Amino acid sequence: MPNLKANQLVSSQVPSLTILWQDDPTSWQTDSDDLARQFLGLMGNDPSQPWNLVLDIDGPNSTAGSWNQATLIALLNSLASLGMQPNLIFHPDGEKATQDWISNPSNPLTQLDLEHEWAAMVNYMAIFNAAIAKANSNLSDTPIKLPEFTSFIAEGKDFAPLDPNKSKLDTFNFLKHQLQTQGIKNPEPWNTGDWQQGIALSENSDGSPNLETPDSGVYMQIYDFYNKQGQSSNTLVGQPTDPSQALLLGSTMFSVLQEETNLPMNPGALRYPNRAPQIFNFSGQDQGSGSINDAPVFGGLGQPGVVKGQGWNIDSFNQFLNSYKSEFQLKSNQTAPTLGIWAAENALNVLVPQASSLTRHENAFSSIATENENDLLVNKYQQNLLIHSNVSGKLIFNLEICAALRSGIGIYPLLDDDARILSPQGRILSVSDSEYLANAKQLAIDTSNWFIDSRPGGDAKAHKFTWEVQLKPNQRYALIADSDLQTSGGLYSSINYANFDNKIQFAPAVSNPNKIIGFEDLPNGDNDFNDIKLEIPNIENILFKSSSLFMSSPIGSSNNIPEIDVLWQDASALDKGSAYQIAQLITGNPNNSDLKLIINISGPSSTANPTPKSHSGFPVIENSPQQLVDFINNIDLSVKKLGGSWNGPIVYHPDATMDDFAHDWSGFTGTAPSPIAGNPNINYTLTTNIKETYEAYIDYLNVLNLYLQNGTTNKRYFNEFIYEYENSQFALKNGGGEAAIFSSNSVVRRYQGNPNLLIQGKTPLDNIPLSGSSSPITNWDSQNDRAGWGADLFYAQVYDFINDSTDYNPIWEKSDLSQIDPNLYSPSEAADLFANFFTNSLGGNPREQIYNINRMVLPQANSQTPAREFDPRANFIFSYGPDAADGPVFYSIKPETSQWTWNADEFASFLTGLRTNLPPKLDKIAQGSGKFVSGVEDFKLGVWGADRALDAWFGIPSPLELGRLRNELI
């Protein structure tokens, strides 16, 4: 979770309280957003104050209306939207509820029935966890990762074994085994009981928990103080709690449990308080009967019999908690207890009723409006508010203005997902630019999307207006407001990173966030956000969108853009949107100024649209040499406009698959600029010989270079040729393996090329490397004692491990479809997976230890000599999918259950982790102390599937705004 400022977080109102335990499993099934505001008001969202939520769960056969996967995920999403991520604890109903967990139990019950019930409970917990994991995977807008159940509370008669030869210790061993079987890495099965109970089912002779004990401890119920056998002088038996005597109650409640005559607290609770949470009863009622009662019980006003006076509130309950805590610490060597409450649903309603100001904390929500003003509840945890429109034409917005100042409001078009704009003068401005706000306002005025408050002077009452705006299709807009048209300095954007101190001045309404927003006209105003209320009519395809403050925003933050050496297109992508995205990558990280771009070149007869499907809003283009020239020029133009520079090479990668030659290459006739300035164009025809396909690829390389040198602004040209042998016509018809292409005397290298297309009379491959690509263990090098193909450079495909796992040693650690889902693996964990794949710590000699990377380093390790450096000719290429079956991949869209995308920050962090982790491992194998001398500059990393990676990292820029980009001096 991003670091929020102190004035954006909500602190716990009960900092000593860390456990909320639900009583009734059918409670909390109402509006989850309202409930989340109560939780926020009580427990806050400060990550330095973690807390636990114990949910009471009925079995799947119950019809009482308990939790199901949908209602639980709704609550977790509501909590996450307010920055709350409690630890989840599973408390199944185990009080004579066997029939709710298994079908047709025996009568009477048997030990086997109970074991089936326990297994069903754990399985149900796993079903909830699977649903939560899927929600984490599929909901890209989830603010923070939804928590899963990791702890299990076993309470009730159903956990008492029926087999006389078994004990509760056996029950917990069974439960722990079941939890581990379900994939819970560090399961925590908890026991429950009163204050006398031991803190572990298996203890050492001194009372300490045995290391082998299966339970994590006991939830000690500090209530039910009725006259139990052996207890004679507990002064709190049957007595209501008195908030006016909160301090006395706290000290007394602890002290009566230390007296020998009162059945004293187990001393282990004081020695190991983390294993003995102290749980108080906040049910507000006495469920006992006869001489048995639940006292002491906490509650509120209107819950007589168990509580005196006006009932408990935040202040009095804090006094009690602090008093109890102090007394506990005096006996526990100053170790604080873990405190919690049971029947937390009653505690929420008593301590934080829904109508109270605590549920509208000013750090999270708007303040209650003053008298005679309309109240508007907005969520300030939603940032960077935009208007998304898939339609064009005029639209009428409803405005309500209630402010003393005369203001203006407008909408302005955004260029990209970073909220850059293209100024009226054709400059690209970022949100950090000092001229951003003024130019945003001017864009709103120039597009007739600016509204001026026309209320009479001195009138501060609320007035309603209609506002006509002009929208373009598939365009994102932000809002700009001028809080005082009579003075300067009052401009604020709905993109909070454009405002001073990143202040949020626009926020969506809690009740209808996609249609209603509010504006606060002063950065330190009254926080009511009703100065301007803007409502979108109920029209499809037009809505407000915002992102959670608890997510890393791509807008205005210090973006972590991946540092990569190579970007490799999958299919041809020559559109203006792709060019702009590449410029974002080049300029987003200063180390990307020399980025190598591998361009996929379709044959000249191809009718495929060289625009990614996701860029459907861009003008339709065709494959042609001129389109390639435009593409390169668009990259250079965008790089210049973004304030960067690019000196990296471009690489020719023809579609050389066996299916493409006949219809895309064979016999094509065209014209090319003459290599001699002033001469007429040259006619050329590509070969039709199925055994000499390479001639077509090489001749067309020369054609494109003539166009590029003649038409690109910076006189760029292809200075490298990647020939993929696998699945090519050459492999089908010629044979001889890759060496037939790459060896020093191959027919490909000997081909002189069409003499009319030669630049400066040089044969095509005189000064252009001929490169290959395959798996990391492929023998591509004919030098360095390798006797391989003879490729000049090599691009190792660091994917398809699942399909080729038997070829590697060690094999890829994860062979299932969950291999590198970012919801399962952090960037550092993924980096460890790859580093461990490339090195084998269990191997014997140097060659065995780096088998999977031995073709990518120098010298090639053998049984005695280790490698010393990365081969500067070798590149490691990772895949952005699209299919997990070809994994490991960083982007997967199928099958439906395995969808994930690594964003820019995640992938950049992964690359940093790999660059950090792998060289020391190789150095250790090389006997350490810097014997492996390569640094980061020699460890060349790249990405295949450029269109998917760029979309994931930067989003899709605006076709309309890019269409306004002009090639002029800035």
Side-chain angles (χ1 to χ4, degrees), residues 609-918:
N609 180 7
T611 303
K613 291 181 179 179
S614 59
H615 294 201
S616 57
F618 285 86
V620 175
I621 56 177
E622 297 180 352
N623 274 301
S624 70
Q626 185 56 49
Q627 185 58 52
L628 175 65
V629 170
D630 293 343
F631 174 65
I632 297 300
N633 282 337
N634 283 329
I635 296 175
D636 282 326
L637 173 61
S638 296
V639 167
K640 182 182 74 171
K641 293 281 188 176
L642 289 169
S645 63
W646 178 41
N647 56 14
I650 57 174
V651 181
Y652 176 76
H653 175 264
D655 266 341
T657 61
M658 61 182 65
D659 296 330
D660 290 326
F661 182 77
H663 53 76
D664 288 352
W665 298 88
S666 180
F668 178 83
T669 296
T671 60
S674 171
I676 302 174
N679 283 8
N681 287 347
I682 300 168
N683 296 320
Y684 68 91
T685 300
L686 301 183
T687 183
T688 59
N689 190 332
I690 200 72
K691 298 192 69 175
E692 296 175 351
T693 53
Y694 57 89
E695 293 186 1
Y697 307 142
I698 292 175
D699 284 342
Y700 198 57
L701 166 63
N702 274 354
V703 168
L704 295 180
N705 272 346
L706 287 169
Y707 271 93
L708 289 168
Q709 292 211 322
N710 187 65
T712 56
T713 304
N714 292 329
K715 303 300 179 184
R716 298 187 183 274
Y717 64 95
F718 286 118
N719 50 14
E720 184 182 338
F721 175 12
I722 292 183
Y723 199 149
E724 284 200 84
Y725 175 84
E726 297 170 9
N727 198 36
S728 67
Q729 280 288 357
F730 191 96
L732 179 69
K733 299 295 183 180
N734 297 64
E738 286 86 344
I741 290 177
F742 296 103
S743 65
S744 60
N745 197 36
S746 70
V747 292
V748 176
R749 291 189 187 271
R750 292 200 312 268
Y751 177 57
Q752 297 296 301
N754 182 333
N756 296 322
L757 300 173
L758 300 184
I759 300 174
Q760 296 179 351
K762 294 181 180 179
T763 56
L765 300 182
D766 272 355
N767 298 302
I768 294 181
L770 182 60
S771 307
S773 179
S774 190
S775 71
I777 57 176
T778 298
N779 192 8
W780 58 274
D781 185 15
S782 62
Q783 305 173 38
N784 304 295
D785 299 322
R786 284 186 172 130
W789 307 347
D792 297 321
L793 302 172
F794 184 67
Y795 299 84
Q797 299 170 11
V798 190
Y799 44 97
D800 266 350
F801 294 165
I802 290 176
N803 302 325
D804 304 328
S805 62
T806 56
D807 297 334
Y808 296 101
N809 183 27
I811 63 172
W812 179 240
E813 183 175 325
K814 294 290 180 181
S815 59
D816 62 336
L817 294 182
S818 67
Q819 357 107 5
I820 49 172
D821 182 341
N823 293 294
L824 300 177
Y825 293 95
S826 68
S828 61
E829 289 171 334
D832 285 340
L833 284 178
F834 282 93
N836 292 336
F837 174 76
F838 287 131
T839 57
N840 182 3
S841 59
L842 300 178
N845 61 55
R847 179 181 182 276
E848 292 173 344
Q849 291 185 67
I850 64 166
Y851 178 81
N852 292 344
I853 202 176
N854 203 16
R855 305 293 191 187
M856 309 288 288
V857 291
L858 293 174
Q860 178 170 289
N862 56 34
S863 60
Q864 295 181 335
T865 304
R868 302 294 186 191
E869 60 183 338
F870 290 111
D871 191 327
R873 302 167 299 162
N875 301 268
F876 296 76
I877 307 298
F878 300 96
S879 171
Y880 258 73
D883 194 342
D886 299 326
V889 295
F890 290 84
Y891 173 97
S892 175
I893 58 172
K894 55 183 181 180
E896 185 177 352
T897 55
S898 296
Q899 300 180 10
W900 63 80
T901 301
W902 285 65
N903 62 31
D905 180 71
E906 290 167 336
F907 191 70
S909 297
F910 157 74
L911 293 180
T912 298
L914 187 61
R915 287 184 171 108
T916 301
N917 294 355
L918 184 56

Side-chain angles (χ1 to χ4, degrees), residues 161-214:
L162 293 174
D163 186 337
N165 297 316
K166 291 184 179 292
S167 67
K168 205 166 187 179
L169 182 64
D170 297 306
T171 300
F172 272 76
N173 277 319
F174 181 94
L175 288 171
K176 189 164 190 176
H177 174 72
Q178 291 292 317
L179 290 165
Q180 290 172 330
T181 300
Q182 291 290 353
I184 305 296
K185 294 180 180 179
N186 297 298
E188 294 188 7
W190 287 84
N191 200 358
T192 64
D194 64 23
W195 58 92
Q196 305 172 79
Q197 188 158 316
I199 61 166
L201 291 171
S202 178
E203 295 182 346
N204 298 316
S205 59
D206 63 355
S208 62
N210 189 298
L211 291 176
E212 301 302 320
T213 189

Side-chain angles (χ1 to χ4, degrees), residues 502-581:
N502 299 338
K503 290 280 289 188
I504 292 176
Q505 302 295 131
F506 291 84
V510 169
S511 61
N512 195 355
N514 292 331
K515 294 295 183 179
I516 300 174
I517 63 169
F519 169 68
E520 175 58 42
D521 63 357
L522 295 173
N524 298 304
D526 55 11
N527 192 54
D528 55 17
F529 278 77
N530 66 355
D531 300 307
I532 300 179
K533 175 185 174 183
L534 178 62
E535 181 176 1
I536 297 177
N538 192 21
I539 299 175
E540 293 184 2
N541 300 319
I542 303 177
L543 45 82
F544 293 117
K545 282 190 176 182
S546 55
S547 59
S548 172
L549 199 62
F550 301 101
M551 296 176 69
S552 296
S553 171
I555 298 176
S557 58
S558 54
N559 294 332
N560 190 11
I561 302 302
E563 177 188 342
I564 62 174
D565 299 283
V566 180
L567 183 68
W568 186 343
Q569 291 185 345
D570 173 7
S572 296
L574 305 179
D575 61 298
K576 187 174 287 188
S578 295
Y580 181 78
Q581 290 174 319

Side-chain angles (χ1 to χ4, degrees), residues 248-315:
L248 179 61
L249 177 62
S251 59
T252 303
M253 189 182 295
F254 180 79
S255 62
V256 296
L257 300 184
Q258 311 311 309
E259 299 175 12
E260 291 295 330
T261 57
N262 283 340
L263 301 180
M265 180 179 288
N266 189 294
L270 299 172
R271 294 175 57 195
Y272 305 97
N274 62 317
R275 291 186 61 88
Q278 312 281 287
I279 307 298
F280 306 111
N281 184 331
F282 214 112
S283 66
Q285 59 182 313
D286 187 354
Q287 298 176 354
S289 60
S291 62
I292 298 175
N293 62 69
D294 296 341
V297 175
F298 297 87
L301 181 65
Q303 297 180 330
V306 295
V307 178
K308 286 184 178 181
Q310 297 299 305
W312 291 86
N313 59 29
I314 290 287
D315 291 337

